Amino acid sequence: MSGSAAVGPGPLTVALLRGGPRAAVKVAVVALHLRGAVAPGPQGTIRTSNPSPGTSFASGLALEKAVRGSLYLPAGVRELMDRPRVRRALAELRGEAAAAGLLRRLPPRRTRAARRVLRELRASVPLPAGPEGLSPAEVLLAVALYGDTALTALVPRFTEAAGLKGRGGPQERGLSRGGDMGGDAFIGCAGGWGA
């Protein structure tokens, strides 16, 4: 999984459990941004950039690799979720969460164990007021746990310029997918799961 069993699920899995596929993709985008691998693109999109020297992408996080590899053109979160590599990586992440007992497959919902993990994490990791003194791992966990509120507090410029807050920037609102829910279909609603 995205984190070891002894430590608990990693930020990508936590985001998936809290807010579904869109939340997991946002955390992957922020992880890439913190390493300098992506930057805001035109009209609320995300584009690749040149990472800092020595930055490694051999972390084994399939969703991060899929997001970066799918940015052959600037894209918003919804468009990224429709790209085949990202869809496969999200399916793999859901499968890992199900195998760990955190997700039921049908209907796909959080399990009691997942709700307990989220409750315990929120109790031990309060929402930070700002990014000062936080490691990248702490920023990612806060974004995974608190979503848009943490995005606004911890990476405000990037969040605004890349259209990450809410359902996306101007580019996202103009997309029409003819009934496709942009990858959120597996959870039954675009906003996430009920607790």
Side-chain angles (χ1 to χ4, degrees):
M1 197 171 338
S2 300
S4 79
V7 176
L12 295 172
T13 302
V14 169
L16 179 73
L17 295 173
R18 179 199 51 83
R22 179 178 292 276
V25 169
K26 285 181 181 182
V27 169
V29 167
V30 171
L32 291 167
H33 167 70
L34 293 175
R35 283 186 279 180
V38 300
Q43 299 181 344
T45 61
I46 304 134
R47 64 172 178 79
T48 59
S49 64
N50 295 324
S52 305
T55 299
S56 170
F57 292 99
S59 63
L61 298 175
L63 183 55
E64 288 180 28
K65 289 179 181 180
V67 166
R68 187 162 198 284
S70 295
L71 285 170
Y72 45 85
L73 292 173
V77 171
R78 182 176 176 177
E79 189 175 353
L80 271 174
M81 291 174 61
D82 285 339
R83 294 195 173 160
R85 285 183 70 180
V86 174
R87 291 173 71 90
R88 284 191 299 272
L90 284 167
E92 182 180 314
L93 187 63
R94 286 191 302 265
E96 291 170 355
L102 299 172
L103 263 185
R104 282 187 281 156
R105 292 189 189 267
L106 293 173
R109 298 228 189 274
R110 288 184 293 214
T111 63
R112 285 183 186 161
R115 289 190 297 271
R116 186 186 73 249
V117 165
L118 291 174
R119 197 172 37 252
E120 289 171 359
L121 281 170
R122 284 186 187 117
S124 64
V125 180
L127 175 65
E132 298 78 22
L134 297 178
S135 71
E138 292 168 323
V139 169
L140 292 178
L141 184 56
V143 171
L145 280 171
Y146 298 105
D148 288 352
T149 304
L151 282 170
T152 303
L154 303 177
V155 282
R157 288 188 198 119
F158 178 70
T159 296
E160 182 68 28
L164 292 183
K165 192 171 172 189
R167 299 299 290 172
Q171 187 73 7
E172 294 287 289
R173 289 189 287 275
L175 293 174
S176 173
R177 295 286 182 227
D180 184 0
M181 294 178 67
D184 287 340
F186 97 94
I187 60 172
C189 68
W193 307 325

